[in-house]
Amino acid sequence: QVRLVQSGGGSVQTGGSLRLSCQVSGTDSRWIYMAWFRQAPGKEREAVATIGRIGTITYADSVKGRFTVAKNNAENTLSLEMNSLKPEDTAMYYCAADLNPPRYSRELQSSEYDYWGQGTQVTVSS
């Protein structure tokens, strides 16, 4: 059973930085497809970044150039470095994983991932 445990997050002012981490257990991170999603109050869950088994990365347009996703296979972890944070980045952030590749062009859809972390809050104040 794949288990994802998140850490990091918190509160910062506009322009600040935060780092999220997701510890993978129950499988080797080399063989799974992973992603970060976020959900703000009253809004649908949206993809932030995805990373495939061989390291192929996709970012949402809203975070390109500010966020960096990385997978550390030696430590079985997924991370999200968030810089130049904006109030609109405020949300609950979730890491996600699946043993199978997302269907073509659907890597940003939450339905493509079976396993989810517990969520961690990121709050950016103006």
Side-chain angles (χ1 to χ4, degrees):
Q1 179 74 9
V2 177
R3 186 169 181 236
L4 307 176
V5 178
Q6 297 177 222
S7 60
S11 299
V12 292
Q13 292 188 326
T14 298
S17 299
L18 286 172
R19 186 177 189 273
L20 305 181
S21 185
C22 178
Q23 182 69 53
V24 180
S25 61
T27 189
D28 190 325
S29 63
R30 289 177 294 175
W31 311 121
I32 59 175
Y33 300 82
M34 300 195 73
W36 287 100
F37 285 78
R38 66 186 181 187
Q39 188 166 18
K43 294 188 176 182
E44 292 189 356
R45 189 169 296 189
E46 63 173 0
V48 173
T50 73
I51 184 165
R53 275 200 322 200
I54 60 172
T56 303
I57 292 173
T58 302
Y59 290 104
D61 289 342
S62 59
V63 305
K64 282 180 182 176
R66 301 188 298 121
F67 289 15
T68 302
V69 64
K71 192 164 50 158
N72 186 325
N73 292 326
E75 296 184 355
N76 238 26
T77 58
L78 178 74
S79 64
L80 184 69
E81 295 281 351
M82 303 181 291
N83 298 311
S84 302
L85 283 161
K86 306 175 182 179
E88 50 264 44
D89 294 318
T90 295
M92 186 71 77
Y93 283 69
Y94 299 90
C95 67
D98 204 281
L99 300 175
N100 299 305
R103 287 171 288 178
Y104 180 69
S105 296
R106 298 188 182 187
E107 63 272 11
L108 297 179
Q109 295 187 13
S110 60
S111 58
E112 297 297 307
Y113 300 87
D114 284 342
Y115 303 100
W116 292 84
Q118 80 277 19
T120 185
Q121 180 68 36
V122 170
T123 302
V124 185
S125 58
S126 57

